[in-house]
Amino acid sequence: MSAPGIIVAGLRKRFGTTLALDGMSFAVHPGLVTGFVGPNGAGKSTTMRVVLGLDAVDEGTALIDGRPYRRLRRPLTHVGSLLDAAALHPGRSARNHLLWLAHSQGLPGRRADQVIEEVGLSSAARRKAGGYSLGMRQRLGIAAALLGDPPIIMLDEPFNGMDPEGIVWMRGFLRSLAAQGRAVLVSSHLMSELQDTADQLVAVGRGKVIADTSVTGLIEAASRNRVAVRTTVPAGATTALVRAGATVAAVGRDTITVSGIGPDRIVTLLNDSTVPFSEVSAHHATLEEAYLELTRNAVEFRAETPTEVPR
Amino acid sequence: MTSPSTTSHRLSQRVQRDGFFQLLHAEWSKFRTVAGWVIGMTAAALTMVLFALLAGISGNQKGSPSVPIGPSGGPVTDSFYFVHQPLAGDGSITVSVSALNSSIPEGPGELRPGTVPWAKAGLIIKKGTDQGSPYAAIMVTGSHGVRMQHNYVHDTAGPVSAAAARWLRLDRSGDAITGYASTDGTNWTKVATARVSGLGSTAQIGLFVASPPAVGGGGTAGTVSTATFGDLRTPEGWAGGDWTGGQVGAKSPTFAGYPENASGSFTASDARFTVTGAGDIAPAVRDSLPTGGQLRDILTGTFAALIVVIVVGALFITEEYRNKMIHLTLAASPRRSLVLVAKAIVLWAVTFVAGLVGAILATPLGERLARGNGVYIFPVPSSTELRVELGTAALLATASVLALAVGAIFRHSAGAVTTVVVAIVLPYILIAIPFMPAAVSKGVATVTPGAAFAVQQTLVPYDQVASNYTPYYGYYPLAPWAGVAVLAGYALASLAVAAVVLSRRDA
């Protein structure tokens, strides 16, 4: 694996009595989409703001290509980011919004037109951004992140406000950025958004990393030894299988997953109990299930009301 | 919706223009792409023109007596009691002044003896009795000793103390007029020689008494003075008894007239004369020419334009905080102090241009309209007019930068606008209150950002004219650019504070 684009090491930051970051450490590598996941208030946005030099930390370092952000000259050519899609002057058109940003990096105005084209905003480029939908603003934010053609892209909740078509587009877009060799960090609090998109998962809670793992391995581990059973009588099936020592979870109206006993034994047990079933197959865990499995034991994820750090 | 198609531009399309220029370019792009700010600046310029238009058409003084103009082109007060006869060619005249007593008003119609510092009694040679004509004079004064004055604006102090018996002498030799003073009528000390052209071959020569208004409580009150002359000696062949007495400039915009129950007069017996007079022979100031307008009045729109540029200046940064675009700005340019400096430079330049255009259009327009309505405007050299225009533009530009700096500190437009308006516009209003004590209005015009209004001063104060030289009348305690420097000091100090807090706090 090549040298990481972003290295975050031991970040600690306190807002009043709230410990926002509590030893946050991870790395983001080129060519991969790294999902940055965790509940609201886990410290994802704060970490990103620290990486961008917007917030100071009490302890720790955040480096871009081995340098602190504030030392970068023309930083948008090193890292492109989208923190808040609403962060624009409503009176400026998309093109003018990107124009000043391009000028701040010594880039020509035509670069603005190029990224507008790339995110599919050409037809609205000269309209006031104040009239944009949230989805369009997300695209504009992505365009701003791409402006300096940076090797590192960092996006905070880019799926927010996007319609299904936009979500599909965004997934493909993130994949293509990684395929171009860029390091991509994408935060989300909804695991389903990152399905089939993220290569690596950094799960955080209460200001620190809970797990830092590859998505493939995670899903394999979560799927291992689990069997999916389709039945019109999930309650009866569950009773029969649990009596035999299996662990059963309901995943749908007519589907349960079973672990602890193999598929042959399941078929036998269901036949013996005369429970009807239409399918018994190896279970493929979704990213969401894998994530829940991963975080089941971590106290940081217990369903308390998370305290969102006000910004 | 296009499919993702980012191709690697890396290293191919980057224009290598590093440094501060980029920041300026970015901030300029930001400014010009928000319609409201561009409209605001345009409106500020137009406001100045509009106010000049209103100031120009509002006054109507058609048919009022014309303002006397001195040989150097400025307005003058030329109203005094003159006892004279013609002098053909060169000659000399000598007199002693044994008393100069003044009366100042105490109440309506009541006079009491008092001191009028610039009450004048002495000898004068003047082209004629027309107001504004050239002259030279030697005189004793209420409390400024012997003076030699000519052509209204020139004043030279003589050597004789105020308490001594005073003898005066005036010699004409062509255009050269020489004044002498003596304590005994024998030993003469030359005070000065004045070159006065245009007296003509036969000039009027004789005694005069003037008594300018007393200054106090922010206003003036007419006074009257009486002098006793003796030992009047005239050149050989000069008819001794043929004297004419009368008030020069009895009806004039620069003469408020005699106090109630007083009038000018003279009595003569042999070489002894008693002369009573009022008025002055001096350059006009705002007090003595209350109907005169000044450039400042035409540029009243500065006040409204100020509010506009303060709002735009504050919004230039507070809008970024309001919609959180500041995050993008600071991510794009992590050297935060430089961002602030770039913003300040762009804002200053834009406001300066708008202010200058407004002032340059407003000034001639307002002057033309006002003069067309018969309003007298104190004349100023074109260099002074240019200074007022440049200075007004600098005043507006610097005020908007102050608003920017305070906006960066407060991160909130309402607070920033209120603070800066109070700091600049409130002093302007305090200065415009006529009954504000002079000490207060001078203090306000010295230490507050409102000191910058000094750059609009066009009136000249004179040592030899007692007057209300206060900001209300258009006389500021600081020199024009010193006033702007006070405002600039506030702006720079606020920028420094803003740079520190911007760098220290989380964005």
Side-chain angles (χ1 to χ4, degrees):
Chain A
M1 207 176 266
S2 47
I6 304 175
I7 297 176
V8 164
L11 300 187
R12 214 171 284 278
K13 181 172 180 66
R14 186 177 285 281
F15 289 114
T17 57
T18 314
L19 195 57
L21 298 179
D22 185 13
M24 180 76 75
S25 302
F26 63 90
V28 181
H29 294 276
L32 299 179
V33 175
T34 302
F36 193 28
V37 299
N40 285 332
K44 303 189 296 290
S45 297
T46 305
T47 302
M48 289 185 162
R49 296 161 52 77
V50 169
V51 169
L52 293 176
L54 295 175
D55 282 8
V57 281
D58 305 328
E59 271 178 56
T61 52
L63 301 177
I64 301 287
D65 290 337
R67 280 183 285 171
Y69 191 90
R70 286 202 188 194
R71 288 255 195 87
L72 300 175
R73 288 298 174 97
R74 307 164 74 238
L76 300 193
T77 64
H78 294 269
V79 51
S81 61
L82 168 59
L83 290 191
D84 181 356
L88 43 79
H89 193 288
R92 277 193 198 100
S93 67
R95 186 173 191 282
N96 285 333
H97 177 69
L98 295 170
L99 194 63
W100 75 257
L101 207 53
H103 290 158
S104 77
Q105 307 298 300
L107 296 166
R110 65 171 185 280
R111 189 65 195 129
D113 299 319
Q114 287 169 352
V115 293
I116 284 172
E117 180 80 35
E118 282 175 31
V119 301
L121 271 182
S122 297
S123 61
R126 287 174 196 274
R127 267 167 43 200
K128 285 185 175 179
Y132 284 13
S133 67
L134 183 50
M136 290 169 85
R137 290 183 186 205
Q138 293 284 18
R139 285 167 187 267
L140 178 52
I142 303 286
L146 294 175
L147 195 62
D149 192 18
I152 302 166
I153 305 270
M154 198 165 72
L155 310 173
D156 196 7
E157 303 276 1
F159 295 96
N160 267 4
M162 284 209 156
D163 55 17
E165 194 186 9
I167 290 174
V168 171
W169 172 83
M170 179 66 78
R171 284 179 177 161
F173 201 86
L174 295 175
R175 293 292 339 142
S176 77
L177 291 174
Q180 288 158 9
R182 301 180 212 256
V184 182
L185 180 66
V186 182
S187 80
S188 177
H189 65 285
L190 293 176
M191 218 36 56
S192 56
E193 293 172 342
L194 294 175
Q195 180 88 45
D196 305 325
T197 306
D199 303 295
Q200 186 78 12
L201 210 59
V202 174
V204 296
R206 297 209 181 160
K208 60 185 163 208
V209 174
I210 305 305
D212 186 347
T213 175
S214 93
V215 168
T216 321
L218 186 66
I219 289 181
E220 266 172 21
S223 309
R224 197 181 308 137
N225 300 328
R226 289 176 78 186
V227 175
V229 176
R230 245 170 109 86
T231 170
T232 51
V233 196
T238 304
T239 314
L241 295 170
V242 168
R243 198 181 300 135
T247 305
V248 176
V251 293
R253 195 164 48 80
D254 56 359
T255 305
I256 56 173
T257 63
V258 185
S259 55
I261 53 179
D264 296 345
R265 179 105 172 92
I266 292 171
V267 171
T268 309
L269 284 167
L270 293 178
N271 282 332
D272 290 353
S273 315
T274 67
V275 172
F277 62 93
S278 57
E279 188 185 342
V280 174
S281 57
H283 175 65
H284 286 281
T286 62
L287 185 58
E288 186 148 13
E289 285 175 280
Y291 173 72
L292 289 174
E293 181 108 326
L294 175 73
T295 58
R296 184 164 298 149
N297 299 318
V299 68
E300 286 81 2
F301 288 82
R302 291 282 150 75
E304 295 165 25
T305 317
T307 34
E308 182 84 51
V309 176
R311 295 306 302 166
Chain B
M1 203 177 286
T2 61
S3 61
S5 63
T6 311
T7 51
S8 186
H9 307 275
R10 235 162 282 166
L11 303 174
S12 58
Q13 299 197 346
R14 288 185 195 152
V15 177
Q16 296 297 328
R17 260 189 329 206
D18 204 2
F20 189 60
F21 174 80
Q22 292 172 190
L23 280 174
L24 288 176
H25 194 187
E27 292 302 332
W28 164 239
S29 299
K30 275 186 197 172
F31 190 92
R32 71 177 174 78
T33 54
V34 173
W37 300 344
V38 176
I39 291 169
M41 285 299 171
T42 312
L46 289 178
T47 302
M48 296 181 64
V49 177
L50 182 69
F51 272 77
L53 196 74
L54 293 174
I57 60 175
S58 60
N60 189 346
Q61 294 175 18
K62 282 179 191 158
S64 57
S66 61
V67 173
I69 304 300
S72 54
V76 298
T77 303
D78 196 8
S79 299
F80 58 96
Y81 201 88
F82 193 14
V83 180
H84 57 96
Q85 55 179 267
L87 169 66
D90 296 344
S92 177
I93 182 170
T94 307
V95 80
S96 71
V97 186
S98 56
L100 172 59
N101 300 309
S102 302
S103 297
I104 57 179
E106 195 169 41
E110 289 207 29
L111 291 170
R112 64 172 170 82
T115 302
V116 175
W118 283 105
K120 297 167 182 177
L123 300 169
I124 185 169
I125 180 165
K126 191 167 165 60
K127 185 189 177 201
T129 54
D130 289 345
Q131 287 190 92
S133 59
Y135 76 93
I138 182 100
M139 69 203 76
V140 299
T141 60
S143 54
H144 293 282
V146 170
R147 315 295 288 202
M148 170 88 183
Q149 297 183 346
H150 69 282
N151 286 357
Y152 308 94
V153 293
H154 305 284
D155 172 49
T156 308
V160 181
S161 75
R166 292 152 293 187
W167 289 71
L168 303 171
R169 187 173 120 206
L170 205 57
D171 286 4
R172 175 178 187 187
S173 173
D175 282 352
I177 313 295
T178 307
Y180 299 87
S182 169
T183 51
D184 53 14
T186 311
N187 301 306
W188 292 94
T189 308
K190 180 177 148 185
V191 177
T193 297
R195 298 228 145 251
V196 181
S197 58
L199 285 174
S201 55
T202 300
Q204 295 297 320
I205 196 164
L207 307 169
F208 82 103
V209 170
S211 190
V215 176
T220 56
T223 67
V224 63
S225 297
T226 300
T228 309
F229 298 95
D231 309 298
L232 183 61
R233 287 206 297 272
T234 53
E236 273 186 4
W238 208 14
D242 196 13
W243 294 95
T244 310
Q247 178 73 26
V248 172
K251 288 253 182 253
S252 169
T254 52
F255 180 47
Y258 280 79
E260 222 175 315
N261 305 327
S263 58
S265 63
F266 89 101
T267 56
S269 58
D270 298 330
R272 187 176 178 84
F273 289 76
T274 303
V275 182
T276 298
D280 202 0
I281 179 162
V285 295
R286 190 61 176 68
D287 260 348
S288 49
L289 181 50
T291 55
Q294 44 182 316
L295 221 47
R296 188 181 76 158
D297 305 333
I298 286 162
L299 293 175
T300 318
T302 307
F303 162 78
L306 249 183
I307 295 175
V308 176
V309 302
I310 286 169
V311 169
V312 173
L315 288 180
F316 193 32
I317 187 130
T318 56
E319 279 279 280
E320 291 208 19
Y321 278 104
R322 195 168 67 89
N323 54 41
K324 296 188 183 168
M325 206 182 79
I326 191 75
H327 296 160
L328 204 47
T329 297
L330 298 182
S333 314
R335 291 175 294 170
R336 298 182 178 183
S337 303
L338 291 185
V339 172
L340 197 63
V341 172
K343 264 193 192 301
I345 289 173
V346 166
L347 182 67
W348 197 93
V350 169
T351 316
F352 184 83
V353 169
L356 191 59
V357 168
I360 282 179
L361 292 177
T363 310
L365 177 74
E367 281 179 324
R368 207 191 173 97
L369 290 170
R371 287 187 176 135
N373 277 336
V375 175
Y376 182 81
I377 308 278
F378 277 88
V380 293
S382 55
S383 62
T384 303
E385 192 162 310
L386 185 63
R387 181 258 290 162
V388 170
E389 289 161 353
L390 290 170
T392 300
L395 158 65
L396 292 169
T398 311
S400 72
V401 168
L402 176 60
L404 171 80
V406 175
I409 296 167
F410 285 15
R411 295 183 278 187
H412 199 274
S413 54
V417 168
T418 308
T419 304
V420 178
V421 164
V422 166
I424 302 185
V425 180
L426 189 66
Y428 180 90
I429 292 168
L430 289 178
I431 285 169
I433 297 174
F435 51 80
M436 189 62 55
V440 174
S441 82
K442 282 182 184 174
V444 163
T446 305
V447 301
T448 71
F453 286 104
V455 85
Q456 293 188 335
Q457 174 171 342
T458 53
L459 302 181
V460 182
Y462 292 92
D463 288 341
Q464 72 270 32
V465 182
S467 180
N468 292 292
Y469 294 126
T470 62
Y472 172 74
Y473 288 101
Y475 300 89
Y476 293 85
L478 294 182
W481 290 109
V484 174
V486 170
L487 174 61
Y490 277 96
L492 289 174
S494 304
L495 269 181
V497 171
V500 169
V501 294
L502 186 63
S503 297
R504 286 207 179 151
R505 71 189 166 200
D506 289 345

